[in-house]
Amino acid sequence: MTHAPILPGATIGVLGSGQLGRMFAIAARRMGYRVHVLSTEYDTPTGQVADLEIRAPYDDVDEVTEFARGVDVVTFEFENVPTTTIEIVEAQVPVRPGGHVLHTTQNRLREKNFLRRAGLPVTEFHEVRALAELRSLCADGLPAVLKSAAWGYDGKGQSMIREIGEVETAWESVGSDCAILERFVDFECELSVVAARGLDGQFVHYQPILNIHRNHILDLSVSPSGLSPDVCRQAVEITREVFEQLDVVGVLCVEMFLTRDGRLLVNELAPRPHNSGHLTIDAHESCQFEQQVRSVCGLPLGSTKQLSPAAMVNLLGECWVFGEPNWASALAGKGVKLHLYGKRDALPGRKMGHITVLADSTREAINIAREVRVGLLSPPGEVGTPLKAVPEP
Ligand code: AMP
């Protein structure tokens, strides 16, 4: 298998067709690559901007083989691609990050065991395979969070257990015969480090990003984070260690909790660009998607220098509750950059887009971002009126 760089003009294959693939495809096409996406649907966020959208189930061996035949390298934009699909592709072209990275990170139990074995600080957890086991673990201490081992993201397959009476409902709602029970972390804050590693081992990282979740879904990301230099240094060292020990070529994000007594605990790994890193598109010299292109193609990685303080807010389906959002109002805001993912159905909790605000300080960026999001719900007649500080919806 070749280790020569895959140069512009070549074709990159993407497994998965959501917004992460879309922003990757935009970065790749800007750099002169062609992009083919394998998707289970048509007219997807990635398919809309790719050169070719192949519609097939991930376990369709013939279609997957045909997809791999048409590309020079393959990457993925979500973790839940079956391992067998990756094996078929890997037999024909390089997959970056490699199938071993996907295998570890697509299952919470494997991921946490990897982190523990690697000697990295991880949230206290136990494997659970039966209701009786769960009951006895919960008797040892609550609150705790039950998470299915497979197929979890954005709080899906998760259930908070505050008291022993909730155990049975939690077990049923997670609906899996393999789960993990995590001690609830009373954290000071949540942060993430997005980084990239090249074929030659070159490692670059963005500074830790501060994240605020709402209903288990990322709501706001901010950089610079305002965290102490010591915490930032430790967070980056943990991230570097993950890349080395997992032998990652590509982009990966490490999500962490900072506990009230100042310890960092890894919550989750995402072996691809991450929602918290979307602000790098507008605020940094090379964004996380460009780093993905560079790393999977075996090219030198780009600069992670930050050009401006930034805040990013997600636009979930709820922003459409009164009809089409007032885009003109939002775009009248200072330093506002709008990103929409081309999704048609604005369902509650669905990530439809995001807004990044660039400002002189993070405080100012946060204030503008929140005001702008509220302004989206205003009637069209209010286009361009100065935004007032209003409470979050
Ligand atoms: P996850 O899908 O594991 O990334 O969880 C989504 C969000 O749920 C996290 O970003 C946290 O805000 C919250 N969460 C998950 N696990 C825990 C935990 N053990 N303690 C406290 N909060 C948690």
Side-chain angles (χ1 to χ4, degrees):
M1 201 163 280
T2 176
H3 277 189
I6 294 158
L7 297 171
T11 304
I12 309 175
V14 185
L15 293 165
S17 55
Q19 63 269 17
L20 298 178
R22 179 187 183 90
M23 291 180 269
F24 170 79
I26 291 170
R29 294 194 66 168
R30 196 178 59 223
M31 292 170 70
Y33 289 92
R34 299 180 76 84
V35 177
H36 291 184
V37 57
L38 184 70
S39 165
T40 53
E41 287 161 73
Y42 272 134
D43 195 33
T44 58
T46 311
Q48 288 165 12
V49 299
D51 293 271
L52 180 67
E53 182 175 45
I54 299 172
R55 180 168 171 242
Y58 293 117
D59 57 2
D60 184 327
V61 175
D62 293 340
E63 289 287 356
V64 172
T65 308
E66 193 56 30
F67 162 77
R69 200 170 285 145
V71 299
D72 298 288
V73 62
V74 166
T75 190
F76 46 85
E77 65 107 52
F78 83 135
E79 291 90 307
N80 293 324
V81 179
T83 312
T84 45
T85 306
I86 299 289
E87 284 166 2
I88 296 169
V89 178
E90 266 181 338
Q92 297 183 79
V93 286
V95 177
R96 296 177 185 145
H100 65 285
V101 177
L102 192 76
H103 181 72
T104 302
T105 53
Q106 69 185 187
N107 178 288
R108 288 186 201 273
L109 186 61
R110 280 200 290 272
E111 181 175 289
K112 302 248 173 205
N113 280 328
F114 155 75
L115 290 163
R116 194 183 258 172
R117 272 198 306 275
L120 292 166
V122 61
T123 323
E124 190 190 326
F125 72 96
H126 298 274
E127 182 177 346
V128 191
R129 293 200 176 260
L131 176 60
E133 203 178 351
L134 178 63
R135 204 171 272 128
S136 100
L137 284 167
C138 288
D140 292 342
L142 287 175
V145 188
L146 184 69
K147 302 180 178 182
S148 63
W151 301 100
Y153 68 98
D154 283 349
K156 294 193 171 57
Q158 274 191 37
S159 190
M160 172 87 175
I161 308 176
R162 288 181 190 78
E163 47 193 74
I164 207 82
E166 294 172 348
V167 167
E168 199 158 337
T169 325
W171 180 248
E172 274 160 23
S173 78
V174 163
S176 164
D177 53 5
C178 182
I180 60 167
L181 185 72
E182 267 180 32
R183 193 69 54 221
F184 180 78
V185 181
D186 180 24
F187 52 78
E188 176 78 34
C189 66
E190 292 188 77
L191 60 139
S192 55
V193 178
V194 176
R197 185 163 169 270
L199 256 185
D200 59 356
Q202 183 194 2
F203 175 83
V204 297
H205 65 88
Y206 299 94
Q207 282 304 320
I209 297 163
L210 188 71
N211 300 318
I212 295 175
H213 291 76
R214 200 191 274 194
N215 302 326
H216 299 275
I217 301 176
L218 183 65
D219 183 50
L220 171 77
S221 289
V222 183
S223 180
S225 63
L227 293 164
S228 75
D230 192 42
V231 166
C232 291
R233 188 187 49 73
Q234 284 179 48
V236 170
E237 280 321 305
I238 290 171
T239 306
R240 190 193 304 270
E241 201 57 33
V242 168
F243 272 76
E244 291 295 325
Q245 297 217 23
L246 206 49
D247 190 19
V248 178
V249 173
V251 169
L252 179 141
C253 172
V254 183
E255 292 181 67
M256 299 175 226
F257 298 125
L258 177 65
T259 64
R260 293 196 188 275
D261 57 358
R263 287 174 303 126
L264 284 170
L265 297 175
V266 176
N267 173 38
E268 203 169 35
L269 307 179
R272 47 165 173 79
H274 188 256
N275 194 166
S276 62
H278 290 357
L279 54 75
T280 63
I281 298 176
D282 300 303
H284 292 72
E285 240 164 44
S286 296
C287 74
Q288 60 173 352
F289 299 100
E290 181 180 328
Q291 305 287 14
Q292 189 181 13
V293 176
R294 288 170 178 252
S295 53
V296 304
C297 289
L299 293 168
L301 304 179
S303 157
T304 54
K305 184 175 167 198
Q306 185 157 4
L307 305 173
S308 164
M312 185 244 30
V313 282
N314 270 332
L315 304 178
L316 302 184
E318 285 82 347
C319 292
W320 275 252
V321 67
F322 299 130
E324 192 63 21
N326 188 340
W327 300 123
S329 160
L331 290 165
K334 195 172 155 223
V336 166
K337 307 288 280 186
L338 174 65
H339 301 255
L340 290 173
Y341 308 147
K343 298 182 184 177
R344 242 186 307 275
D345 300 324
L347 307 172
R350 189 172 195 206
K351 290 176 180 171
M352 303 294 289
H354 70 268
I355 280 174
T356 300
V357 176
L358 306 179
D360 294 335
S361 69
T362 49
R363 177 48 50 204
E364 189 188 350
I366 292 169
N367 287 342
I368 296 173
R370 285 188 159 151
E371 287 176 10
V372 161
R373 192 168 50 180
V374 173
L376 287 176
L377 303 179
S378 62
E382 289 179 19
V383 169
T385 53
L387 293 155
K388 297 185 291 291
V390 272
E392 283 278 271

